[in-house]
Amino acid sequence: MEPEHVDVWAELRTLCAHVMSVPLEAVVPHARLVADLGADSLDINELQVASEERFGVSLRGADRAAVSTVGDVASLVATLRAQRVPGAVAG
């Protein structure tokens, strides 16, 4: 996992487990939201809203096809957070 993702990982992991009603141990970076964690469209929307509220970035407009794993969500959140922070350097 990229260093910039570590700060969002613990909170995102807990959020995913809660929204999708799965054990925390099941929420790993390579877990696929739908195939592995059993998320449906309502779960995905709930995760999107909860992530926006928690991390202060909008996930709306993200290509859902490109975001299929928990790690993908963490990467997206980290990228969006880096873009909104003045002086942040994107790598």
Side-chain angles (χ1 to χ4, degrees), residues 46-68:
E46 187 177 343
L47 180 62
Q48 178 180 344
V49 170
S51 294
E52 290 173 357
E53 290 173 359
R54 181 67 200 123
F55 299 111
V57 294
S58 177
L59 305 180
R60 297 182 199 298
D63 180 6
R64 287 192 179 189
V67 181
S68 63

